[in-house]
mmCIF file of all heavy atoms in Angstrom:
data_model
loop_
_atom_site.group_PDB
_atom_site.id
_atom_site.type_symbol
_atom_site.label_atom_id
_atom_site.label_comp_id
_atom_site.label_asym_id
_atom_site.label_seq_id
_atom_site.Cartn_x
_atom_site.Cartn_y
_atom_site.Cartn_z
ATOM 1 N N ALA A 35 -12.109 -10.937 -6.106
ATOM 2 C CA ALA A 35 -11.713 -11.408 -7.428
ATOM 3 C C ALA A 35 -10.592 -12.435 -7.270
ATOM 4 O O ALA A 35 -9.752 -12.326 -6.401
ATOM 5 C CB ALA A 35 -11.290 -10.245 -8.297
ATOM 6 N N ASN A 36 -10.594 -13.415 -8.228
ATOM 7 C CA ASN A 36 -9.541 -14.434 -8.210
ATOM 8 C C ASN A 36 -8.150 -13.883 -8.608
ATOM 9 O O ASN A 36 -7.173 -14.426 -8.184
ATOM 10 C CB ASN A 36 -9.916 -15.562 -9.174
ATOM 11 C CG ASN A 36 -10.911 -16.535 -8.546
ATOM 12 O OD1 ASN A 36 -11.245 -16.399 -7.371
ATOM 13 N ND2 ASN A 36 -11.306 -17.502 -9.359
ATOM 14 N N GLY A 37 -8.160 -12.818 -9.372
ATOM 15 C CA GLY A 37 -6.878 -12.280 -9.763
ATOM 16 C C GLY A 37 -6.285 -12.853 -11.029
ATOM 17 O O GLY A 37 -6.953 -13.669 -11.689
ATOM 18 N N PRO A 38 -5.028 -12.504 -11.364
ATOM 19 C CA PRO A 38 -4.118 -11.764 -10.528
ATOM 20 C C PRO A 38 -4.414 -10.281 -10.492
ATOM 21 O O PRO A 38 -4.595 -9.628 -11.535
ATOM 22 C CB PRO A 38 -2.746 -12.027 -11.162
ATOM 23 C CG PRO A 38 -3.056 -12.212 -12.621
ATOM 24 C CD PRO A 38 -4.400 -12.916 -12.652
ATOM 25 N N ILE A 39 -4.468 -9.684 -9.282
ATOM 26 C CA ILE A 39 -4.754 -8.284 -9.092
ATOM 27 C C ILE A 39 -3.461 -7.566 -8.789
ATOM 28 O O ILE A 39 -2.672 -7.976 -7.939
ATOM 29 C CB ILE A 39 -5.762 -8.118 -7.937
ATOM 30 C CG1 ILE A 39 -7.068 -8.880 -8.243
ATOM 31 C CG2 ILE A 39 -6.057 -6.596 -7.678
ATOM 32 C CD1 ILE A 39 -7.758 -8.503 -9.508
ATOM 33 N N ALA A 40 -3.228 -6.417 -9.447
ATOM 34 C CA ALA A 40 -1.974 -5.677 -9.257
ATOM 35 C C ALA A 40 -2.039 -4.783 -8.032
ATOM 36 O O ALA A 40 -1.014 -4.569 -7.344
ATOM 37 C CB ALA A 40 -1.692 -4.849 -10.475
ATOM 38 N N GLY A 41 -3.230 -4.246 -7.736
ATOM 39 C CA GLY A 41 -3.400 -3.342 -6.561
ATOM 40 C C GLY A 41 -4.832 -3.024 -6.370
ATOM 41 O O GLY A 41 -5.625 -3.124 -7.320
ATOM 42 N N ALA A 42 -5.157 -2.570 -5.133
ATOM 43 C CA ALA A 42 -6.578 -2.283 -4.820
ATOM 44 C C ALA A 42 -6.583 -1.221 -3.745
ATOM 45 O O ALA A 42 -5.667 -1.093 -2.936
ATOM 46 C CB ALA A 42 -7.312 -3.523 -4.399
ATOM 47 N N THR A 43 -7.700 -0.478 -3.716
ATOM 48 C CA THR A 43 -7.908 0.526 -2.656
ATOM 49 C C THR A 43 -9.390 0.564 -2.340
ATOM 50 O O THR A 43 -10.183 -0.016 -3.029
ATOM 51 C CB THR A 43 -7.398 1.919 -3.122
ATOM 52 O OG1 THR A 43 -7.427 2.813 -1.984
ATOM 53 C CG2 THR A 43 -8.284 2.504 -4.195
ATOM 54 N N LEU A 44 -9.732 1.314 -1.259
ATOM 55 C CA LEU A 44 -11.128 1.444 -0.863
ATOM 56 C C LEU A 44 -11.501 2.922 -0.969
ATOM 57 O O LEU A 44 -10.761 3.831 -0.513
ATOM 58 C CB LEU A 44 -11.311 0.941 0.590
ATOM 59 C CG LEU A 44 -11.198 -0.548 0.745
ATOM 60 C CD1 LEU A 44 -11.148 -0.928 2.221
ATOM 61 C CD2 LEU A 44 -12.335 -1.256 0.073
ATOM 62 N N ILE A 45 -12.682 3.168 -1.497
ATOM 63 C CA ILE A 45 -13.223 4.529 -1.675
ATOM 64 C C ILE A 45 -14.585 4.598 -1.019
ATOM 65 O O ILE A 45 -15.376 3.673 -1.128
ATOM 66 C CB ILE A 45 -13.366 4.874 -3.153
ATOM 67 C CG1 ILE A 45 -12.046 4.634 -3.922
ATOM 68 C CG2 ILE A 45 -13.860 6.299 -3.360
ATOM 69 C CD1 ILE A 45 -12.173 4.724 -5.417
ATOM 70 N N GLN A 46 -14.819 5.683 -0.283
ATOM 71 C CA GLN A 46 -16.113 5.846 0.384
ATOM 72 C C GLN A 46 -16.871 6.952 -0.353
ATOM 73 O O GLN A 46 -16.329 8.020 -0.638
ATOM 74 C CB GLN A 46 -15.947 6.223 1.856
ATOM 75 C CG GLN A 46 -17.037 5.570 2.730
ATOM 76 C CD GLN A 46 -16.498 5.262 4.111
ATOM 77 O OE1 GLN A 46 -15.585 5.892 4.608
ATOM 78 N NE2 GLN A 46 -17.112 4.272 4.732
ATOM 79 N N ILE A 47 -18.181 6.696 -0.672
ATOM 80 C CA ILE A 47 -19.036 7.713 -1.242
ATOM 81 C C ILE A 47 -20.249 7.917 -0.367
ATOM 82 O O ILE A 47 -20.582 7.044 0.481
ATOM 83 C CB ILE A 47 -19.518 7.245 -2.656
ATOM 84 C CG1 ILE A 47 -20.292 5.938 -2.588
ATOM 85 C CG2 ILE A 47 -18.329 7.125 -3.605
ATOM 86 C CD1 ILE A 47 -20.929 5.551 -3.928
ATOM 87 N N THR A 48 -20.874 9.060 -0.458
ATOM 88 C CA THR A 48 -22.033 9.383 0.360
ATOM 89 C C THR A 48 -23.292 9.543 -0.481
ATOM 90 O O THR A 48 -24.365 9.662 0.099
ATOM 91 C CB THR A 48 -21.799 10.691 1.121
ATOM 92 O OG1 THR A 48 -21.456 11.742 0.226
ATOM 93 C CG2 THR A 48 -20.655 10.488 2.133
ATOM 94 N N ARG A 49 -23.177 9.564 -1.822
ATOM 95 C CA ARG A 49 -24.328 9.711 -2.681
ATOM 96 C C ARG A 49 -24.307 8.624 -3.732
ATOM 97 O O ARG A 49 -23.247 8.343 -4.290
ATOM 98 C CB ARG A 49 -24.364 11.118 -3.329
ATOM 99 C CG ARG A 49 -24.569 12.268 -2.358
ATOM 100 C CD ARG A 49 -24.530 13.565 -3.076
ATOM 101 N NE ARG A 49 -24.684 14.709 -2.132
ATOM 102 C CZ ARG A 49 -24.671 15.981 -2.539
ATOM 103 N NH1 ARG A 49 -24.499 16.260 -3.816
ATOM 104 N NH2 ARG A 49 -24.786 16.931 -1.644
ATOM 105 N N PRO A 50 -25.479 8.033 -4.060
ATOM 106 C CA PRO A 50 -26.812 8.303 -3.524
ATOM 107 C C PRO A 50 -26.986 7.785 -2.107
ATOM 108 O O PRO A 50 -27.929 8.133 -1.420
ATOM 109 C CB PRO A 50 -27.688 7.527 -4.483
ATOM 110 C CG PRO A 50 -26.849 6.428 -4.998
ATOM 111 C CD PRO A 50 -25.455 7.033 -5.108
ATOM 112 N N ALA A 51 -26.109 6.878 -1.642
ATOM 113 C CA ALA A 51 -26.133 6.435 -0.227
ATOM 114 C C ALA A 51 -24.656 6.225 0.184
ATOM 115 O O ALA A 51 -23.758 6.106 -0.654
ATOM 116 C CB ALA A 51 -26.939 5.151 -0.114
ATOM 117 N N THR A 52 -24.406 6.177 1.457
ATOM 118 C CA THR A 52 -23.083 5.935 1.982
ATOM 119 C C THR A 52 -22.655 4.469 1.659
ATOM 120 O O THR A 52 -23.336 3.524 2.042
ATOM 121 C CB THR A 52 -22.956 6.205 3.476
ATOM 122 O OG1 THR A 52 -23.308 7.525 3.724
ATOM 123 C CG2 THR A 52 -21.575 5.901 3.964
ATOM 124 N N SER A 53 -21.590 4.332 0.886
ATOM 125 C CA SER A 53 -21.184 3.015 0.486
ATOM 126 C C SER A 53 -19.645 3.011 0.416
ATOM 127 O O SER A 53 -18.984 4.018 0.241
ATOM 128 C CB SER A 53 -21.730 2.679 -0.938
ATOM 129 O OG SER A 53 -23.122 2.633 -0.924
ATOM 130 N N THR A 54 -19.117 1.809 0.557
ATOM 131 C CA THR A 54 -17.660 1.568 0.401
ATOM 132 C C THR A 54 -17.432 0.776 -0.902
ATOM 133 O O THR A 54 -18.044 -0.274 -1.109
ATOM 134 C CB THR A 54 -17.079 0.834 1.606
ATOM 135 O OG1 THR A 54 -17.333 1.570 2.764
ATOM 136 C CG2 THR A 54 -15.543 0.658 1.453
ATOM 137 N N ILE A 55 -16.511 1.272 -1.697
ATOM 138 C CA ILE A 55 -16.231 0.680 -2.982
ATOM 139 C C ILE A 55 -14.793 0.199 -3.021
ATOM 140 O O ILE A 55 -13.874 0.938 -2.683
ATOM 141 C CB ILE A 55 -16.474 1.688 -4.154
ATOM 142 C CG1 ILE A 55 -17.969 1.996 -4.233
ATOM 143 C CG2 ILE A 55 -15.976 1.137 -5.490
ATOM 144 C CD1 ILE A 55 -18.302 3.100 -5.219
ATOM 145 N N ALA A 56 -14.632 -1.060 -3.436
ATOM 146 C CA ALA A 56 -13.272 -1.561 -3.709
ATOM 147 C C ALA A 56 -12.967 -1.277 -5.169
ATOM 148 O O ALA A 56 -13.684 -1.694 -6.068
ATOM 149 C CB ALA A 56 -13.224 -3.063 -3.454
ATOM 150 N N ARG A 57 -11.867 -0.563 -5.402
ATOM 151 C CA ARG A 57 -11.404 -0.299 -6.765
ATOM 152 C C ARG A 57 -10.087 -1.062 -6.983
ATOM 153 O O ARG A 57 -9.187 -0.960 -6.154
ATOM 154 C CB ARG A 57 -11.221 1.208 -6.974
ATOM 155 C CG ARG A 57 -10.592 1.592 -8.282
ATOM 156 C CD ARG A 57 -10.721 3.081 -8.594
ATOM 157 N NE ARG A 57 -12.074 3.408 -9.020
ATOM 158 C CZ ARG A 57 -12.519 4.589 -9.480
ATOM 159 N NH1 ARG A 57 -11.611 5.608 -9.472
ATOM 160 N NH2 ARG A 57 -13.715 4.797 -9.850
ATOM 161 N N PHE A 58 -10.010 -1.795 -8.049
ATOM 162 C CA PHE A 58 -8.840 -2.654 -8.250
ATOM 163 C C PHE A 58 -8.434 -2.757 -9.695
ATOM 164 O O PHE A 58 -9.213 -2.465 -10.600
ATOM 165 C CB PHE A 58 -9.043 -4.087 -7.676
ATOM 166 C CG PHE A 58 -10.300 -4.766 -8.212
ATOM 167 C CD1 PHE A 58 -10.164 -5.659 -9.266
ATOM 168 C CD2 PHE A 58 -11.551 -4.569 -7.639
ATOM 169 C CE1 PHE A 58 -11.298 -6.350 -9.782
ATOM 170 C CE2 PHE A 58 -12.665 -5.256 -8.105
ATOM 171 C CZ PHE A 58 -12.520 -6.092 -9.175
ATOM 172 N N VAL A 59 -7.142 -3.082 -9.898
ATOM 173 C CA VAL A 59 -6.567 -3.108 -11.225
ATOM 174 C C VAL A 59 -6.046 -4.519 -11.514
ATOM 175 O O VAL A 59 -5.402 -5.170 -10.683
ATOM 176 C CB VAL A 59 -5.366 -2.107 -11.325
ATOM 177 C CG1 VAL A 59 -4.574 -2.292 -12.646
ATOM 178 C CG2 VAL A 59 -5.870 -0.682 -11.215
ATOM 179 N N ILE A 60 -6.384 -5.036 -12.701
ATOM 180 C CA ILE A 60 -5.950 -6.374 -13.095
ATOM 181 C C ILE A 60 -4.510 -6.292 -13.538
ATOM 182 O O ILE A 60 -4.100 -5.442 -14.328
ATOM 183 C CB ILE A 60 -6.857 -6.880 -14.253
ATOM 184 C CG1 ILE A 60 -8.305 -6.959 -13.780
ATOM 185 C CG2 ILE A 60 -6.407 -8.252 -14.708
ATOM 186 C CD1 ILE A 60 -9.267 -7.288 -14.881
ATOM 187 N N GLN A 61 -3.719 -7.222 -13.081
ATOM 188 C CA GLN A 61 -2.278 -7.235 -13.341
ATOM 189 C C GLN A 61 -1.967 -7.460 -14.810
ATOM 190 O O GLN A 61 -1.009 -6.865 -15.350
ATOM 191 C CB GLN A 61 -1.587 -8.328 -12.496
ATOM 192 C CG GLN A 61 -0.126 -8.276 -12.454
ATOM 193 C CD GLN A 61 0.476 -9.261 -11.468
ATOM 194 O OE1 GLN A 61 0.167 -10.427 -11.471
ATOM 195 N NE2 GLN A 61 1.275 -8.748 -10.558
ATOM 196 N N THR A 62 -2.690 -8.309 -15.476
ATOM 197 C CA THR A 62 -2.344 -8.725 -16.836
ATOM 198 C C THR A 62 -2.590 -7.631 -17.876
ATOM 199 O O THR A 62 -1.897 -7.562 -18.897
ATOM 200 C CB THR A 62 -3.139 -9.922 -17.257
ATOM 201 O OG1 THR A 62 -4.546 -9.679 -17.014
ATOM 202 C CG2 THR A 62 -2.695 -11.152 -16.510
ATOM 203 N N ASN A 63 -3.547 -6.682 -17.647
ATOM 204 C CA ASN A 63 -3.864 -5.721 -18.669
ATOM 205 C C ASN A 63 -4.067 -4.298 -18.150
ATOM 206 O O ASN A 63 -4.314 -3.368 -18.944
ATOM 207 C CB ASN A 63 -5.089 -6.142 -19.454
ATOM 208 C CG ASN A 63 -6.332 -6.394 -18.627
ATOM 209 O OD1 ASN A 63 -6.415 -5.900 -17.503
ATOM 210 N ND2 ASN A 63 -7.282 -7.134 -19.137
ATOM 211 N N GLY A 64 -4.056 -4.053 -16.852
ATOM 212 C CA GLY A 64 -4.210 -2.720 -16.296
ATOM 213 C C GLY A 64 -5.624 -2.207 -16.285
ATOM 214 O O GLY A 64 -5.886 -1.044 -15.916
ATOM 215 N N HIS A 65 -6.633 -3.039 -16.609
ATOM 216 C CA HIS A 65 -8.011 -2.585 -16.562
ATOM 217 C C HIS A 65 -8.468 -2.400 -15.078
ATOM 218 O O HIS A 65 -8.028 -3.150 -14.220
ATOM 219 C CB HIS A 65 -8.896 -3.580 -17.261
ATOM 220 C CG HIS A 65 -8.703 -3.683 -18.724
ATOM 221 N ND1 HIS A 65 -9.495 -4.458 -19.563
ATOM 222 C CD2 HIS A 65 -7.768 -3.070 -19.532
ATOM 223 C CE1 HIS A 65 -9.037 -4.321 -20.808
ATOM 224 N NE2 HIS A 65 -7.996 -3.506 -20.830
ATOM 225 N N ALA A 66 -9.297 -1.444 -14.834
ATOM 226 C CA ALA A 66 -9.763 -1.131 -13.476
ATOM 227 C C ALA A 66 -11.237 -1.410 -13.345
ATOM 228 O O ALA A 66 -12.058 -1.190 -14.257
ATOM 229 C CB ALA A 66 -9.474 0.318 -13.175
ATOM 230 N N PHE A 67 -11.614 -1.863 -12.127
ATOM 231 C CA PHE A 67 -13.020 -2.205 -11.780
ATOM 232 C C PHE A 67 -13.384 -1.677 -10.426
ATOM 233 O O PHE A 67 -12.537 -1.479 -9.573
ATOM 234 C CB PHE A 67 -13.197 -3.728 -11.837
ATOM 235 C CG PHE A 67 -13.101 -4.318 -13.183
ATOM 236 C CD1 PHE A 67 -11.874 -4.632 -13.757
ATOM 237 C CD2 PHE A 67 -14.240 -4.615 -13.926
ATOM 238 C CE1 PHE A 67 -11.742 -5.196 -15.022
ATOM 239 C CE2 PHE A 67 -14.143 -5.158 -15.222
ATOM 240 C CZ PHE A 67 -12.903 -5.446 -15.738
ATOM 241 N N ASP A 68 -14.686 -1.425 -10.227
ATOM 242 C CA ASP A 68 -15.251 -1.046 -8.952
ATOM 243 C C ASP A 68 -16.231 -2.115 -8.471
ATOM 244 O O ASP A 68 -16.963 -2.685 -9.288
ATOM 245 C CB ASP A 68 -16.018 0.290 -9.073
ATOM 246 C CG ASP A 68 -15.109 1.522 -9.127
ATOM 247 O OD1 ASP A 68 -13.877 1.354 -8.929
ATOM 248 O OD2 ASP A 68 -15.630 2.636 -9.331
ATOM 249 N N LEU A 69 -16.257 -2.351 -7.161
ATOM 250 C CA LEU A 69 -17.191 -3.245 -6.562
ATOM 251 C C LEU A 69 -17.749 -2.627 -5.264
ATOM 252 O O LEU A 69 -16.939 -2.315 -4.390
ATOM 253 C CB LEU A 69 -16.595 -4.618 -6.239
ATOM 254 C CG LEU A 69 -17.496 -5.621 -5.593
ATOM 255 C CD1 LEU A 69 -18.654 -6.012 -6.498
ATOM 256 C CD2 LEU A 69 -16.745 -6.880 -5.144
ATOM 257 N N ILE A 70 -19.033 -2.444 -5.160
ATOM 258 C CA ILE A 70 -19.657 -1.908 -3.966
ATOM 259 C C ILE A 70 -19.729 -3.029 -2.890
ATOM 260 O O ILE A 70 -20.343 -4.079 -3.143
ATOM 261 C CB ILE A 70 -21.076 -1.374 -4.259
ATOM 262 C CG1 ILE A 70 -21.017 -0.209 -5.249
ATOM 263 C CG2 ILE A 70 -21.715 -0.888 -2.950
ATOM 264 C CD1 ILE A 70 -22.356 0.296 -5.687
ATOM 265 N N LEU A 71 -19.090 -2.798 -1.735
ATOM 266 C CA LEU A 71 -18.993 -3.826 -0.729
ATOM 267 C C LEU A 71 -20.235 -3.917 0.191
ATOM 268 O O LEU A 71 -20.363 -4.901 0.910
ATOM 269 C CB LEU A 71 -17.745 -3.649 0.110
ATOM 270 C CG LEU A 71 -16.415 -3.658 -0.651
ATOM 271 C CD1 LEU A 71 -15.283 -3.559 0.347
ATOM 272 C CD2 LEU A 71 -16.248 -4.924 -1.484
ATOM 273 N N ASP A 72 -21.062 -2.886 0.174
ATOM 274 C CA ASP A 72 -22.200 -2.858 1.101
ATOM 275 C C ASP A 72 -23.456 -3.539 0.541
ATOM 276 O O ASP A 72 -24.500 -3.532 1.192
ATOM 277 C CB ASP A 72 -22.567 -1.383 1.460
ATOM 278 C CG ASP A 72 -21.370 -0.657 1.929
ATOM 279 O OD1 ASP A 72 -21.026 -0.777 3.133
ATOM 280 O OD2 ASP A 72 -20.729 0.079 1.126
ATOM 281 N N SER A 73 -23.356 -4.075 -0.683
ATOM 282 C CA SER A 73 -24.535 -4.674 -1.318
ATOM 283 C C SER A 73 -24.281 -6.122 -1.672
ATOM 284 O O SER A 73 -23.669 -6.439 -2.707
ATOM 285 C CB SER A 73 -24.882 -3.879 -2.624
ATOM 286 O OG SER A 73 -25.081 -2.520 -2.314
ATOM 287 N N PRO A 74 -24.738 -7.082 -0.786
ATOM 288 C CA PRO A 74 -24.606 -8.473 -1.128
ATOM 289 C C PRO A 74 -25.184 -8.779 -2.514
ATOM 290 O O PRO A 74 -26.222 -8.333 -2.857
ATOM 291 C CB PRO A 74 -25.434 -9.156 -0.022
ATOM 292 C CG PRO A 74 -25.330 -8.205 1.136
ATOM 293 C CD PRO A 74 -25.404 -6.842 0.496
ATOM 294 N N GLY A 75 -24.456 -9.526 -3.316
ATOM 295 C CA GLY A 75 -24.875 -9.849 -4.639
ATOM 296 C C GLY A 75 -24.306 -8.896 -5.718
ATOM 297 O O GLY A 75 -24.458 -9.119 -6.889
ATOM 298 N N ALA A 76 -23.658 -7.789 -5.233
ATOM 299 C CA ALA A 76 -23.104 -6.837 -6.209
ATOM 300 C C ALA A 76 -21.981 -7.507 -6.979
ATOM 301 O O ALA A 76 -21.282 -8.385 -6.492
ATOM 302 C CB ALA A 76 -22.596 -5.600 -5.490
ATOM 303 N N VAL A 77 -21.794 -7.048 -8.206
ATOM 304 C CA VAL A 77 -20.745 -7.560 -9.067
ATOM 305 C C VAL A 77 -19.869 -6.403 -9.568
ATOM 306 O O VAL A 77 -20.339 -5.243 -9.580
ATOM 307 C CB VAL A 77 -21.279 -8.377 -10.289
ATOM 308 C CG1 VAL A 77 -21.993 -9.599 -9.814
ATOM 309 C CG2 VAL A 77 -22.188 -7.496 -11.116
ATOM 310 N N PRO A 78 -18.605 -6.651 -9.909
ATOM 311 C CA PRO A 78 -17.731 -5.540 -10.313
ATOM 312 C C PRO A 78 -18.193 -4.881 -11.616
ATOM 313 O O PRO A 78 -18.761 -5.495 -12.511
ATOM 314 C CB PRO A 78 -16.360 -6.242 -10.527
ATOM 315 C CG PRO A 78 -16.441 -7.465 -9.685
ATOM 316 C CD PRO A 78 -17.858 -7.919 -9.774
ATOM 317 N N LYS A 79 -17.879 -3.573 -11.670
ATOM 318 C CA LYS A 79 -18.211 -2.735 -12.830
ATOM 319 C C LYS A 79 -16.896 -2.174 -13.415
ATOM 320 O O LYS A 79 -16.067 -1.658 -12.651
ATOM 321 C CB LYS A 79 -19.141 -1.610 -12.455
ATOM 322 C CG LYS A 79 -19.402 -0.604 -13.566
ATOM 323 C CD LYS A 79 -20.118 0.619 -13.035
ATOM 324 C CE LYS A 79 -20.177 1.733 -14.121
ATOM 325 N NZ LYS A 79 -20.701 2.979 -13.568
#
Side-chain angles (χ1 to χ4, degrees):
N36 279 357
I39 303 302
T43 191
L44 290 170
I45 307 171
Q46 216 148 28
I47 60 172
T48 56
R49 295 180 181 178
T52 300
S53 299
T54 302
I55 293 174
R57 173 165 284 186
F58 55 96
V59 171
I60 300 172
Q61 190 172 55
T62 51
N63 57 20
H65 294 185
F67 291 82
D68 283 353
L69 177 65
I70 299 175
L71 300 185
D72 307 279
S73 303
V77 295
K79 173 192 172 186

